[in-house]
Amino acid sequence: MSDFTLLPNGMKLPSHKQASTTRPIATAALPAQLQLALAGSQCCVEPGQRVLKYQLLARPDNALGLAVHAPTSGHIHAIAPYPQALPGTPLQTALLLHSDGQDEAQPLAPPPDRAGQSRLELAIFLQDMGVTGQHGPLLPLSWAASDAPLELLIINGMESEPYISADDMLMREQASELVAAIQLLQQRLRPTRLVLVIRHDKPAAISALRTAAAGQTWQIEVREAPYPADDAPLLTRLLGGTAETTLCLPVAGVHAAGQAMQHGLPCISRIVTLSGAVEHAQNIRALLGSPARELLALATPHPYSAGIIHGGGLRGFTLADDSVAIHQHSNGLLAAAPRPSSSVAAAQPCVRCGDCATICPSQLQPQELYWHCQTQDLMQAQDWGLTDCSQCGLCSAVCPSQLPLLDSFRNSSLQLQADQQQQQAADSARQRHHFRQFRQERDKQEKAQRLAERAAQQAAKLAQTPSAHPASAAKPEPSAADKQAAIAAAMARASQRQQHHQGQTATAATAEQDARAAAIAANRQAAIDAAMARAAARKAAQDAAKAGADSSPSAAGPTPAPEPAPDKQELIRTSMARAAAQKAAQAAPPAPTTMDDDKKALIAAAMARAAARKAERDDGEQET
Amino acid sequence: MIIIMLRLVLLLLAIWLLGKVLRRSAQQLTPAPATTAPLVERIDAILPQTQCGQCGHAGCHPYAEALAKGEDSINRCPPGGEAGIRKLAALLQRDYLPFAPDAPPQKPKAVALIDERTCIGCTLCIQACPVDAILGSAKQMHTVLADECTGCELCLAPCPVDCISMRPVGEGAGDWRWGYPVIAIQPVKSGTRP
């Protein structure tokens, strides 16, 4: 059966897979050092720390991040920026783990109770186990958190890219584990239909899976689809699903998920195809973070090979730096054959042959897209379907003018994403700005309203009390008392300050002898000083009150005051003086070690610094 | 006679129908006013919303208003960059202009950072921030919400202790993109296609 009718475009490519499928999966030797990138995850170990195999090294800190576990035992040598596989990538923070060769594992935590796990709990568990899917965790958290129905679950075993046979070998050799993993996922996710789709060019894997999956309720579908049939949207279309209700999971991820769900094993390795210009093409199970060059050396590349291609024959790219480490998505490492000098020739202008348009599996017009991407006209590129491009690389492969179509689409689609993010940021800034303006306006109105209300209340009160005159006539007496109390308080404050000054000189004298002792003593001394000052202030206040009481009859002499008034006045005066004295005692700094003084000094220093900086800048400006 | 009457009636009917059809098509031709946003809003959508005031207006919306009235030129927004000028030129159907010589120079995107040891908690920067991206209260340390900061630099001037600095947003792994493919296109002689 042929799916060329359903996928009209696409290309039958030489698969180049036979060489690497003749040998069983080997296990790579323990590398001396491993480099684990911390993308979207937060490190929870320190340099110099010894870690055991399976130990958690970094926790995911966003929805797309993955937990990182130690692939072997050893010491964390450094946490620093290191180069990554993608060409031109800025350095990314990575953990450098020096293995100690003992491969000492920590006991595995049992997997959580399977019955109670919801879809979201399962997704988070797999994220914590470092199981990766197409982008980020195997089960996307946003999908798991929504209650979208799951009608079709596709286990993707197509692997149509030339040279790569990692999934093929996994399905051949670990069919029973894979079947168990699929069964677990079926129990947990309960899809209406579950299909393992596999390409016709893997007969050994098909027979292995058919034997292992005998009696299962899900189906294995063998399809003869052209490259790039392993693309999730195309596969969904091929199997008659809709994008909203379909989930497409890679075989390798499902296998790792099964290991995690059954045994609590975190994902620390993956199968990598070593092929291309090598003597012994094969598949190996390599620890994540192993250096690419060391891995490829296991397959003995030809001496004339030039560089390492990371990925498959079409989507792969040449590594700028051979020492970079493999990651979760490194399904293949190919030794590049040197190009004949004629084919290195530069790209030529587009001849409008239309080959790219006929081959495009997404049915786009790559020549038009290329035109708009070249002029960075992203709006037009979007109209021509840039976002639908699956970046399969077929257009670049067939272009007779060797135009870098794939490269420009990759560049432009990322540019488009960045522009969209920027637009979102601008929109949120606009919203915040508008809200701020609204808030300020509202505050202003509320304040005006409050003031108006208060004014109205006062006006009403004034209108209600027509006998305001006697009250105002009686006022001067308390105000005189106030004045006297204030004088008394000032006197108290002055005497207190004097006392304090003496105390301070005393502490200063002791401070000269021993700084540390003085600091302790100063506190004690300060307390004593404060107590003394308080006592003195109280005494002074009493004296002042007495004096005030003595003088008040003479002040009130001309106008004979009513009988109870002097007592009351005296009481008020003394209490006010006491309060003032207490306030003064509190306000007066008992010792230079208090918080307020420190803060004041700090602020003064900071302001002085700022002033100096400003002055310097002014000088600089004047000089220029 | 009857035939003439019938013809007349038919003619009247035809004229009435024609008038109705014409009116409907005319209604369809005139654009509905509600569907297109006012010009000011469309200009505002292009502006980068840093609210920095480098254009000489009190924010992006006032600048958009001035542009809509034709009172200002389109080349006064440094954060918008040349791409912004091109978009404005296309929208307003004006010619592209290079940056105004008296406009402040363009800077790479930066985010304010408060030195938390020096901050005295005066809240002046909070009052200055146009997008409420600074968090703090009186006599408490302040901090900048880096995700919300537009890099307008309006908080730098009011700070009495000069504790705010602008940190350029570095290229993280998330900002990475494939390099623009650089190719040399060579002329091909006729008949020598490889």
Side-chain angles (χ1 to χ4, degrees):
Chain A
M1 170 184 158
S2 165
D3 283 315
F4 280 84
T5 45
L6 265 168
L7 293 177
N9 301 337
M11 191 174 168
K12 245 185 177 172
L13 294 162
S15 67
H16 294 292
K17 295 187 192 214
Q18 292 75 25
S20 56
T21 51
T22 50
R23 278 165 241 262
I25 301 173
T27 307
L30 208 59
Q33 60 176 36
L34 296 153
Q35 183 189 312
L36 299 153
L38 300 174
S41 49
Q42 204 156 25
C43 193
C44 53
V45 288
E46 285 165 3
Q49 189 179 335
R50 180 162 195 268
V51 293
L52 298 176
K53 190 178 182 175
Y54 304 131
Q55 190 177 332
L56 184 70
L57 302 183
R59 286 191 183 85
D61 69 348
N62 61 37
L64 288 178
L66 282 164
V68 179
H69 296 264
T72 182
S73 64
H75 290 90
I76 305 292
H77 185 250
I79 300 166
Y82 287 104
Q84 299 301 308
L86 284 166
T89 324
L91 302 182
Q92 193 177 31
T93 312
L95 263 166
L96 196 65
L97 176 67
H98 280 194
S99 74
D100 55 9
Q102 290 169 10
D103 208 24
E104 191 182 337
Q106 74 171 25
L108 291 172
D113 182 29
R114 287 168 202 166
Q117 268 185 30
S118 72
R119 190 155 98 169
L120 184 61
E121 281 168 340
L122 180 65
I124 291 171
F125 169 70
L126 292 180
Q127 187 186 28
D128 289 340
M129 285 288 150
V131 181
T132 182
Q134 204 76 22
H135 310 282
L138 183 71
L139 301 177
L141 291 191
S142 53
W143 170 82
S146 73
D147 50 358
L150 182 62
E151 278 170 15
L152 177 60
L153 179 62
I154 303 172
I155 314 291
N156 182 356
M158 290 299 267
E159 201 175 47
S160 56
E161 189 149 3
Y163 290 101
I164 305 296
S165 59
D167 285 354
D168 187 3
M169 292 309 289
L170 179 78
M171 287 188 282
R172 279 188 207 189
E173 295 196 4
Q174 285 162 3
S176 54
E177 281 110 321
L178 191 62
V179 166
I182 293 172
Q183 212 177 342
L184 276 176
L185 278 181
Q186 190 187 19
Q187 284 168 9
R188 212 61 52 74
L189 300 175
R190 291 196 201 85
T192 323
R193 190 173 145 220
L194 199 158
V195 180
L196 191 152
V197 59
I198 186 165
R199 202 156 177 249
H200 69 286
D201 61 351
K202 305 180 181 62
I206 294 167
S207 64
L209 276 173
R210 285 219 164 114
T211 1
Q216 295 287 341
T217 49
W218 43 273
Q219 55 192 120
I220 297 173
E221 278 211 29
V222 182
R223 290 285 173 139
E224 189 187 333
Y227 175 83
D230 47 2
D231 224 37
L234 286 177
L235 213 49
T236 306
R237 209 171 71 199
L238 193 66
L239 294 172
T242 51
E244 293 80 31
T245 57
T246 306
L247 196 64
C248 189
L249 306 176
V251 164
V254 170
H255 180 259
Q259 294 294 311
M261 285 192 287
Q262 282 177 311
H263 314 296
L265 263 176
C267 182
I268 54 161
S269 64
R270 71 152 298 137
I271 296 173
V272 183
T273 304
L274 307 176
S275 187
V278 294
E279 292 279 348
H280 314 292
Q282 58 177 324
N283 280 283
I284 52 159
R285 187 163 269 288
L287 296 179
L288 299 176
S290 311
R293 196 196 303 141
E294 274 183 37
L295 282 183
L296 197 61
L298 297 173
T300 41
H302 291 311
Y304 59 78
S305 69
I308 299 176
I309 294 171
H310 180 280
L314 279 163
R315 286 188 176 120
F317 46 84
T318 311
L319 291 180
D321 180 357
D322 288 357
S323 66
V324 299
I326 63 154
H327 52 76
Q328 300 263 24
H329 295 286
S330 312
N331 52 0
L333 294 172
L334 313 178
R339 284 189 179 193
S341 55
S342 63
S343 76
V344 187
Q348 289 147 12
C350 176
V351 292
R352 268 70 163 176
C353 65
D355 282 358
C356 50
T358 43
I359 202 110
C360 179
S362 306
Q363 295 170 341
L364 304 175
Q365 301 285 321
Q367 78 281 14
E368 288 284 350
L369 259 180
Y370 177 66
W371 184 253
H372 296 305
C373 289
Q374 255 203 325
T375 52
Q376 294 280 301
D377 191 350
L378 295 177
M379 294 291 283
Q380 281 285 343
Q382 209 177 350
D383 287 348
W384 281 93
L386 179 63
T387 44
D388 294 331
C389 174
S390 62
Q391 303 182 1
C392 65
L394 279 178
C395 47
S396 285
V398 298
C399 181
S401 297
Q402 295 170 354
L403 290 169
L405 296 163
L406 174 61
D407 293 355
S408 62
F409 298 157
R410 279 170 170 168
N411 171 282
S412 297
S413 58
L414 279 165
Q415 181 76 41
L416 195 66
Q417 266 177 23
D419 282 6
Q420 279 167 352
Q421 278 170 5
Q422 212 175 342
Q423 191 58 43
Q424 274 174 5
D427 287 345
S428 106
R430 182 186 298 118
Q431 211 178 349
R432 289 175 82 87
H433 183 61
H434 282 174
F435 179 71
R436 181 185 144 88
Q437 282 176 327
F438 160 75
R439 194 192 66 220
Q440 282 177 332
E441 193 59 35
R442 186 192 61 194
D443 287 356
K444 209 184 279 177
Q445 276 177 2
E446 277 177 1
K447 196 175 178 187
Q449 203 178 347
R450 248 191 344 257
L451 285 175
E453 272 173 16
R454 200 175 297 160
Q457 273 176 5
Q458 272 183 352
K461 214 182 260 175
L462 276 176
Q464 274 179 1
T465 54
S467 58
H469 288 287
S472 63
K475 255 179 189 169
E477 270 190 356
S479 75
D482 273 1
K483 227 179 234 171
Q484 274 171 3
I487 294 164
M491 278 172 67
R493 233 179 288 139
S495 69
Q496 192 266 343
R497 207 176 294 147
Q498 219 168 5
Q499 290 267 352
H500 170 244
H501 196 66
Q502 284 167 4
Q504 220 175 19
T505 47
T507 47
T510 52
E512 277 173 8
Q513 293 166 2
D514 183 41
R516 184 171 290 211
I520 303 162
N523 274 340
R524 209 174 294 153
Q525 191 69 40
I528 295 165
D529 283 347
M532 278 173 71
R534 235 176 288 137
R538 210 174 295 145
K539 205 175 178 187
Q542 275 171 6
D543 286 350
K546 217 177 264 175
D550 288 345
S551 61
S552 70
S554 63
T559 48
E563 273 305 304
D567 277 1
K568 222 184 222 173
Q569 274 178 14
E570 202 177 329
L571 266 174
I572 293 166
R573 225 174 290 141
T574 46
S575 66
M576 278 180 77
R578 215 181 301 135
Q582 270 175 9
K583 216 182 207 174
Q586 278 171 4
T593 46
T594 54
M595 280 282 287
D596 273 2
D597 263 19
D598 274 3
K599 219 177 217 173
K600 265 181 203 159
L602 264 176
I603 293 168
M607 282 178 74
R609 232 180 295 138
R613 219 176 295 157
K614 246 176 208 167
E616 263 177 40
R617 210 182 299 148
D618 288 348
D619 283 355
E621 272 170 23
Q622 276 172 6
E623 277 168 24
T624 52
Chain B
M1 189 64 192
I2 297 165
I3 294 168
I4 293 171
M5 286 282 281
L6 207 67
R7 274 187 184 165
L8 208 69
V9 166
L10 275 175
L11 192 72
L12 282 173
L13 207 72
I15 289 169
W16 177 73
L17 268 174
L18 193 72
K20 201 160 192 184
V21 166
L22 278 177
R23 196 177 301 156
R24 182 163 294 174
S25 63
Q27 274 173 352
Q28 278 173 353
L29 278 176
T30 48
T35 51
T36 48
L39 183 61
V40 177
E41 300 307 322
R42 276 182 288 160
I43 298 171
D44 196 40
I46 291 176
L47 295 176
Q49 303 301 322
T50 49
Q51 319 290 353
C52 58
Q54 291 182 62
C55 52
H57 296 270
C60 293
H61 202 265
Y63 182 44
E65 280 167 12
L67 282 178
K69 284 181 200 155
E71 288 169 358
D72 209 339
S73 57
I74 56 173
N75 57 354
R76 308 201 61 87
C77 177
E82 282 197 16
I85 299 181
R86 281 186 202 284
K87 278 187 197 167
L88 285 175
L91 177 66
L92 298 171
Q93 298 178 342
R94 296 193 202 169
D95 286 337
Y96 169 79
L97 292 169
F99 266 110
D102 55 332
Q106 255 184 292
K107 286 178 197 166
K109 167 130 174 76
V111 165
L113 183 80
I114 292 179
D115 179 12
E116 294 167 354
R117 283 170 304 173
T118 326
C119 176
I120 55 169
C122 66
T123 72
L124 289 177
C125 56
I126 296 180
Q127 292 160 36
C129 180
V131 291
D132 284 340
I134 303 180
L135 206 66
S137 64
K139 293 189 182 170
Q140 308 289 325
M141 181 199 74
H142 302 344
T143 195
V144 175
L145 304 177
D147 285 348
E148 308 292 350
C149 177
T150 63
C152 65
E153 304 191 357
L154 291 181
C155 52
L156 297 188
C159 182
V161 291
D162 246 3
C163 70
I164 309 179
S165 56
M166 300 304 292
R167 294 287 161 94
V169 180
E171 268 213 340
D175 303 321
W176 172 83
R177 62 191 59 136
W178 291 91
Y180 186 71
V182 181
I183 49 161
I185 293 185
Q186 289 173 347
V188 186
K189 280 181 206 158
S190 56
T192 58
R193 238 186 93 171

